[in-house]
Amino acid sequence: MAPEDQLLRSGVSRRDFIKTCVAATAVMGLPFGMVARVVEAAQAPDRPPVIWLHFQECTGCSESLLRANHPTPANLLLDMISLDYHETLMAGSGHQAEKSLHDSLQANRGKYLLVVEGAIPTKENGIFCKVGGRTAMESLRSAAEGAAAIICIGTCASFGGIQAAAPNPTGAVGVGEIIKDKPLITIPGCPPSPYNLLSTVLYYLTFKKLPELDQLGRPKFAYGRRIHEHCERRPHFDAGRFAKAYGDATHAEGYCLYKLGCKGPATYANCSVQRFNDVGVWPVAVGHPCIGCTEPEIVFRTAIADKVQIHEPTPFDSYAPVDLKNKGKGPSPLTTGIIGLAAGVALGAGAMMAGRLPDGEQADKPHQEDSHERKE
Ligand code: SF4
């Protein structure tokens, strides 16, 4: 049965099927004219076999994909592929499940996609994570041997994640530290957007090749830009309006979260565009700073409240100062802009930045060098 027919039988309308394909096409950065090809690939009767292994993780990546409020991405993905082994979803267990894994690895050698969720412990021969009597290292090596390609879903499988945080007692690493001879895609995030996995698989089915990847193995279509570039709080950042404490007036006003430790200026991901749960939410939208969960050098290495350094020192010095205490009573923006410009000329840019907020905090001025700036 074609995937679309299966979707229709499971209650997903043709309209939702097309909408999901359009969304996945947009995530891939493809023009609208490519939707027909993506739909065709999603409907193809040949379904690639997929083996999905879980190691050191919380299963949040699977949960994010399978969220109950709008099952279309999960349905589409699971109907496009032949999911031969997934410990959370499969009905079988014990010897029956292990036989299913063994049979699928043998029957589909060289053809299956291996999806890995979770980090792999390496200390003491990997005894900290065992499934079916074998360590995660053994299971991974044996499954990777016959895989056509490997997809690391989530930050743990991609880079070790929270398990690899100092002092890393189990020696947890990402898949790429162990498997060096296979095409490997990382889809980091804690959890990643389900659309990034769906779009990666759809790209593979549509073009019969892997998407273009960055130096960390991430599909460029999803991880090619910093979330800071499309954040809805960005106008506040540019205007020098920063939330200063959780729950205070500046936070309630929706000001930029940079001073609360937002890692958005150094984090490459599409969260600010392709949001979660199909209701337009993501952490920054609900008032929590980005923790940089797609960046191995930031997440679980940098305290949430620590500020990342940024390259472009916006706002510009000609921006009008913001005075929350006199909100609505002060001079017009045009007046303050002219005053600010004149004062900027007279006193210099640094003095203006120091006086932007009523308490004159120097911290309003973001750090001017970006130690996390990506080297292309
Ligand atoms: Fe948005 Fe964070 Fe950038 Fe502020 S620093 S504009 S909250 S991504």
Side-chain angles (χ1 to χ4, degrees), residues 151-197:
I151 297 177
C152 305
I153 181 79
T155 299
C156 302
S158 298
F159 311 125
I162 195 166
Q163 289 73 226
N168 193 358
T170 66
V173 297
V175 174
E177 295 291 313
I178 295 176
I179 306 298
K180 307 279 188 189
D181 59 350
K182 290 285 175 182
L184 191 136
I185 305 169
T186 61
I187 303 185
C190 196
S193 165
Y195 273 98
N196 290 347
L197 175 62

Side-chain angles (χ1 to χ4, degrees), residues 271-303:
C271 308
S272 52
V273 179
Q274 183 60 50
R275 299 168 180 220
F276 287 77
N277 299 330
D278 294 338
V279 288
V281 295
W282 65 298
V284 168
V286 295
H288 195 285
C290 164
I291 63 168
C293 69
T294 63
E295 297 294 335
E297 296 301 319
I298 297 179
V299 68
F300 308 127
R301 293 188 180 202
T302 312

Side-chain angles (χ1 to χ4, degrees), residues 147-373:
I150 303 174
I151 297 177
C152 305
I153 181 79
T155 299
C156 302
S158 298
F159 311 125
I162 195 166
Q163 289 73 226
N168 193 358
T170 66
V173 297
V175 174
E177 295 291 313
I178 295 176
I179 306 298
K180 307 279 188 189
D181 59 350
K182 290 285 175 182
L184 191 136
I185 305 169
T186 61
I187 303 185
C190 196
S193 165
Y195 273 98
N196 290 347
L197 175 62
L198 173 67
S199 301
T200 300
V201 174
L202 264 174
Y203 189 100
Y204 182 72
L205 295 180
T206 304
F207 300 106
K208 311 297 181 212
K209 64 177 185 178
L210 301 181
E212 192 179 353
L213 307 176
D214 69 8
Q215 77 277 19
L216 293 175
R218 305 176 294 192
K220 280 189 175 175
F221 64 69
Y223 298 90
R225 306 187 78 170
R226 288 173 289 200
I227 70 167
H228 184 61
E229 293 167 37
H230 299 286
C231 177
E232 66 260 50
R233 294 176 190 254
R234 179 61 187 265
H236 292 302
F237 176 92
D238 287 340
R241 294 190 287 265
F242 299 101
K244 294 199 285 184
Y246 292 100
D248 75 356
T250 59
H251 192 239
E253 289 282 353
Y255 286 2
C256 170
L257 303 172
Y258 175 73
K259 286 177 69 176
L260 295 179
C262 183
K263 312 294 187 290
T267 299
Y268 287 81
N270 57 355
C271 308
S272 52
V273 179
Q274 183 60 50
R275 299 168 180 220
F276 287 77
N277 299 330
D278 294 338
V279 288
V281 295
W282 65 298
V284 168
V286 295
H288 195 285
C290 164
I291 63 168
C293 69
T294 63
E295 297 294 335
E297 296 301 319
I298 297 179
V299 68
F300 308 127
R301 293 188 180 202
T302 312
I304 286 179
D306 285 353
K307 291 188 272 296
V308 290
Q309 293 188 324
I310 59 173
H311 185 60
E312 291 138 3
T314 55
F316 302 110
D317 299 331
S318 56
Y319 262 95
V322 176
D323 185 352
L324 291 175
K325 285 179 187 153
N326 297 308
K327 190 177 168 191
K329 300 177 194 161
S332 71
L334 177 62
T335 308
T336 51
I338 293 169
I339 293 170
L341 190 59
V345 171
L347 302 175
M352 282 302 294
M353 293 294 288
R356 179 152 283 104
L357 284 177
D359 60 5
E361 291 180 54
Q362 274 288 357
D364 271 357
K365 185 173 184 178
H367 303 274
Q368 298 193 9
E369 291 192 2
D370 183 0
S371 61
H372 300 288
E373 188 71 10

